[in-house]
Amino acid sequence: MNQLRFRTRLVLILSLFAIVPALLLTLLWSGTVSTALPFVTGRSAWDSVAASGEKAIAAARQAPLTPSQRSAIDAHERELRTSVEQARRYSFLAGRTVRVIAIAGVLALLVLTGLASRVAGHLSRQLSRPLDELVRWTELIGHGESLPPPREPTVVSTTRKNGDDAGTTIEVTTSRVRGAPEFETLRRSMREMVSELAHGRQQAIEAERLHAFRESARRVAHEIKNPLTPIRFALARLRGHAPPPLQEDVEVITIESERLDRMARSFAEFGRLPDGPPAEIDMSELVRYAARSCVPPNVALNLEIDENLPRVHGHNGALAGALSNVLLNAVDASPESGRITVKASEVKMGDRAAVRISVADTGVGIAPESLERIWEPYVTNKPGGTGLGLSIARQAVWAHDGTVNATSTLGKGTEIQLTIPADGGNAVRES
């Protein structure tokens, strides 16, 4: 036999809780009334009283009586007969009243049964439907599928007539919630949980990708540095002994070897996480120094640094390098008459104090389809660039449990935000 559905079991249980007590109360009430009414009428007692009274009256009349005594006996006989007649009437009515009460009890039981079934059905729907929905959601979560979108609120329009026959339309927005409000809270919590799971899964995938990129970057930096060192030594010797016709070729090799050296340093920097003991960092000083050292005089610089910024517990070199990479990208994107705005302010990350650094330029901007890829390694639009600047910046911020964000408008410029918690986070350092 198949197991009954949860809703069916719930209806049966709720119905039994309502019907069984009603049935017991109806039976108890009907039995009590049918048993008590004969005692209330007292027909058997009055019959006994009438029989003994008639004997007493007959015996009294055989004795010599005065007229007043005979009158009293006659009056007593009339009262006795009236009382017996009333008792018989009550007894007659009581017999039929019991049947009426029994019928009324059955009808009341049927009404209560109907009401109980309706209430049980309503309660079961209010409980079983949300639970069935949540069970389906758990199956979707288990298979890694997305949850159904939230229900849109319903707009109900009501037109109210005014005195001049003009109508005023009132729109009322309602949102039908299935089940008790607690289920809606549970739905919202499950959606937040799924969002956090997706975010965590994405971060895990991204961390794995970055780990693979870092390993590749370490190897590339190592392979470049090994032959680059003897090449630079040989160039130093050639520069002094090469004939004039070859000096230009030597200079080209020197410039390209320096570019390879910069590339190797970029790969090496991307291939490692911040190391060494963390320390307290004055973010105001860090932002001010990085901005003035990276932005050339021909580009206007606007510094907006809040007072009393919280100190960040972290690695000064890593955060300074991250901000420098962002500033250098902003400089490359800005025209000669451009402007770079650097802001530093205190914000909240949940219940944690944090510092948000914003770098906005007035360059050409980034296309929406390319905006999400700017943080990926080896993605660049600059000739000769490695595409590691923003990747290194994001890596340093993530190592401090921070976040990065980018917004851009074509033709107007780009804004990069770095948000670092004051406590520096609990990043795992790799060996």
Side-chain angles (χ1 to χ4, degrees):
M1 182 178 179
N2 295 330
Q3 187 178 8
L4 294 176
R5 292 180 54 196
F6 172 76
R7 180 179 174 183
T8 305
R9 298 198 308 271
L10 190 60
V11 170
L12 291 176
I13 293 171
L14 292 174
S15 299
L16 289 176
F17 269 109
I19 295 172
V20 171
L23 177 61
L24 293 177
L25 288 175
T26 302
L27 293 177
L28 181 62
W29 178 53
S30 300
T32 302
V33 171
S34 62
T35 305
L37 277 177
F39 291 102
V40 173
T41 57
R43 177 177 177 178
S44 58
W46 280 109
D47 288 341
S48 299
V49 170
S52 60
E54 288 177 356
K55 292 178 180 179
I57 292 172
R61 282 179 175 172
Q62 292 177 0
L65 298 174
T66 64
S68 61
Q69 290 176 340
R70 189 173 299 276
S71 176
I73 290 176
D74 292 339
H76 175 68
E77 185 179 11
R78 287 193 299 271
E79 289 295 332
L80 183 60
R81 289 176 180 177
T82 301
S83 298
V84 171
E85 185 179 358
Q86 291 291 340
R88 289 174 179 175
R89 289 177 181 176
Y90 284 135
S91 178
F92 176 81
L93 293 176
R96 284 154 179 76
T97 302
V98 169
R99 290 194 292 271
V100 172
I101 291 174
I103 295 172
V106 172
L107 293 176
L109 180 61
L110 292 176
V111 172
L112 288 175
T113 302
L115 293 175
S117 62
R118 294 295 299 272
V119 173
H122 175 72
L123 291 177
S124 66
R125 287 192 297 271
Q126 293 294 311
L127 292 175
S128 63
R129 286 181 179 177
L131 287 177
D132 289 340
E133 182 184 41
L134 294 176
V135 169
R136 290 195 300 271
W137 283 19
T138 56
E139 294 176 354
L140 293 175
I141 295 172
H143 291 90
E145 301 177 12
S146 59
L147 297 180
R151 291 181 177 84
E152 295 294 333
T154 304
V155 179
V156 180
S157 298
T158 302
T159 303
R160 183 174 59 189
K161 293 289 186 178
N162 295 332
D164 54 356
D165 293 336
T168 301
T169 302
I170 302 174
E171 291 187 351
V172 180
T173 302
T174 61
S175 180
R176 183 181 179 185
V177 179
R178 295 178 62 181
E182 290 77 10
F183 284 110
E184 185 63 24
T185 303
L186 185 56
R187 292 188 190 96
R188 185 167 55 252
S189 300
M190 290 187 70
R191 291 187 186 278
E192 293 175 356
M193 179 190 68
V194 169
S195 177
E196 292 176 0
L197 286 174
H199 179 67
R201 190 181 298 114
Q202 185 64 31
Q203 280 194 329
I205 295 173
E206 188 67 23
E208 188 65 27
R209 290 179 65 250
L210 286 178
H211 178 74
F213 280 132
R214 283 195 295 269
E215 287 298 320
S216 300
R218 287 172 184 164
R219 295 180 182 180
V220 170
H222 180 72
E223 295 298 328
I224 292 177
K225 284 184 177 180
N226 281 342
L228 190 59
T229 301
I231 289 174
R232 298 185 69 181
F233 286 154
L235 281 174
R237 290 192 297 271
L238 283 175
R239 188 177 288 110
H241 299 86
L246 297 178
Q247 287 294 332
E248 184 176 353
D249 295 330
V250 172
E251 189 65 26
V252 171
I253 297 174
T254 302
I255 293 173
E256 292 301 319
S257 64
E258 289 177 353
R259 188 171 71 86
L260 285 175
D261 183 61
R262 291 194 301 270
M263 187 179 297
R265 287 198 299 269
S266 295
F267 281 126
E269 184 179 0
F270 179 69
R272 67 174 184 271
L273 289 170
D275 51 6
E280 295 292 331
I281 304 173
D282 186 344
M283 296 303 293
S284 300
E285 184 61 29
L286 184 147
V287 173
R288 190 175 289 108
Y289 176 79
R292 290 175 178 172
S293 61
C294 294
V295 180
N298 63 313
V299 178
L301 174 63
N302 183 23
L303 274 177
E304 299 178 11
I305 302 176
D306 291 352
E307 296 182 357
N308 302 320
L309 286 178
R311 291 178 175 268
V312 170
H313 189 71
H315 298 83
N316 185 84
L319 293 178
L323 181 56
S324 297
N325 285 333
V326 174
L327 286 167
L328 291 175
N329 276 9
V331 170
D332 291 336
S334 298
E336 293 185 359
S337 60
R339 173 180 292 274
I340 294 177
T341 302
V342 181
K343 299 179 181 179
S345 57
E346 181 179 358
V347 295
K348 286 289 186 180
M349 291 184 65
D351 56 351
R352 305 159 68 186
V355 176
R356 175 166 294 165
I357 304 171
S358 170
V359 178
D361 61 61
T362 56
V364 295
I366 303 172
E369 61 272 12
S370 303
L371 190 60
E372 290 297 326
R373 300 184 65 246
I374 63 174
W375 303 104
E376 297 182 6
Y378 316 127
V379 176
T380 181
N381 293 323
K382 294 188 296 183
T386 62
L388 293 176
L390 290 181
S391 296
I392 292 172
R394 181 177 67 170
Q395 176 179 276
V397 172
W398 278 7
H400 291 78
D401 203 17
T403 61
V404 296
N405 185 45
T407 56
S408 184
T409 304
L410 285 175
K412 294 185 178 181
T414 303
E415 181 179 354
I416 303 291
Q417 291 182 346
L418 311 178
T419 306
I420 305 102
D423 56 14
N426 297 309
V428 177
R429 300 290 180 257
E430 297 182 357
S431 58

